[in-house]
Amino acid sequence: MPRWMALNYDHPIEIVSGSGSRITDADGNTYLDFFCGILTNMLGYDVPEVREAVQRQLAKGVVHTSTLYLIRSQVELAEKISRLSGIDGAKVFFTNSGTEANETALLLATAARRSSQVLALRNSYHGRSFGAVAITGNASWRSSQLAPFSVHYVHGTDRELPAFAGMSDAEYITAAVADLRHVLTTAAAARDVACLIAEPIQGVGGFTMPPDGLLRAYKEVLDSHGILLISDEVQTGWGRTGEHFWGISAHGVVPDMMTFAKGLGNGFAIGGVVARGDLMDSVPANGISTFGGNPFATTAANATLDYLLSHDLQRNAATLGSLIIGGLREAAEPLAAVGAVRGKGLMFAVDLVDPVTAAPSAPLAARAMEAARERGLLIGKGGLYGNTLRIAPPMTLTEAEAKEGLGLLTDALRAVDAEAS
Ligand SMILES: Cc1ncc(COP(=O)(O)O)c(C=O)c1O
């Protein structure tokens, strides 16, 4: 297996069973899971409603048919997502992953606009295929410089740069929009740009986010040139941010397309694109996905989405997210090794920094991951400088589990701070 496929922890964990928000490893240790297989076990583990729906489908003897035949669960899921998207006349195409979803969106945008110029955000991550790597704004994930697109990067999540220091949200938005206009006049020929693709909260980038409203301000400029806006909702979709069902709604704008994956199947492989119908239909040749939208994955996804909506898990994400983020901010106050705490709903991050210089510290973040594990809590890591703890518990989290996780994480941060100081 490839060397570039890294494992978490000095002594990696094999997860062998799970229930609710907890998992057990092959050595019999149990953990509270605050990373959910990278935000993918959105409802936690072993949810009866999902398990039973999948078992019923298995019992029918049909896991796969291909899209050459009608798949009832696929049509039903497409109708639900189209309705939830807020996009006029939306159509949905299903894939097996977020990468493929973004590939499809880029295909649609470049076909509709007959252009291979794409705008992306600095510090972005959209997947690991040739096309997705080409729009990656984070050097440590940029595995190739060859590209099927001509890509220009715009600002959005880099407010720590000296040029933007001390700016209010409104001032930063004005500066970033001026930069977009400049890019469209200099690097790119504006009349000939296909799209801007953006994560409302950058996942791999360390849960960094533009100020609310920036993407709407960008869209006003894009609209005047006919340039399309794609929101990559692979991490931010389905109410995880608490305040909205889609991450981009924080900007007060409906994009032309959204891509999704991760949590939708609660672990079963599914992704897709929801797009304006005319864009979805703009591809000038045949297309299929052999596995995309198969009966098995779409059955799991329907059950997951129904559960999420009927239990109002978006509200749970808002309530428990505020509880944990508030608690972390308070706990981090006296800790010199903790730089910033940020996030929305059940998607939040903690930056580790050198206690003396305040420079990003990847070794301290690694140490904090280990310290959390030693205390029975699984979390993630990322960020441009590798110094960010990324935390995303299941959206079914209970208040007791939220408090328990907050306690474990706080304890781990205090221990690392004490060691580092
Ligand atoms: C925002 C975003 N887009 C796309 C992807 C790619 O998804 P996948 O790994 O399912 O191909 C990821 C994966 O982490 C992601 O975070």
Side-chain angles (χ1 to χ4, degrees), residues 38 96-100 102 125-128 199 201 203-204 232-235 259 261-262 390:
I38 324 182
N96 306 288
S97 69
T99 299
E100 273 182 86
N102 284 326
Y125 178 84
H126 298 284
R128 40 143 287 283
E199 299 158 88
I201 300 180
V204 170
D232 179 337
E233 298 280 347
V234 166
Q235 298 215 7
T259 56
K262 291 213 191 285
R390 294 198 291 150

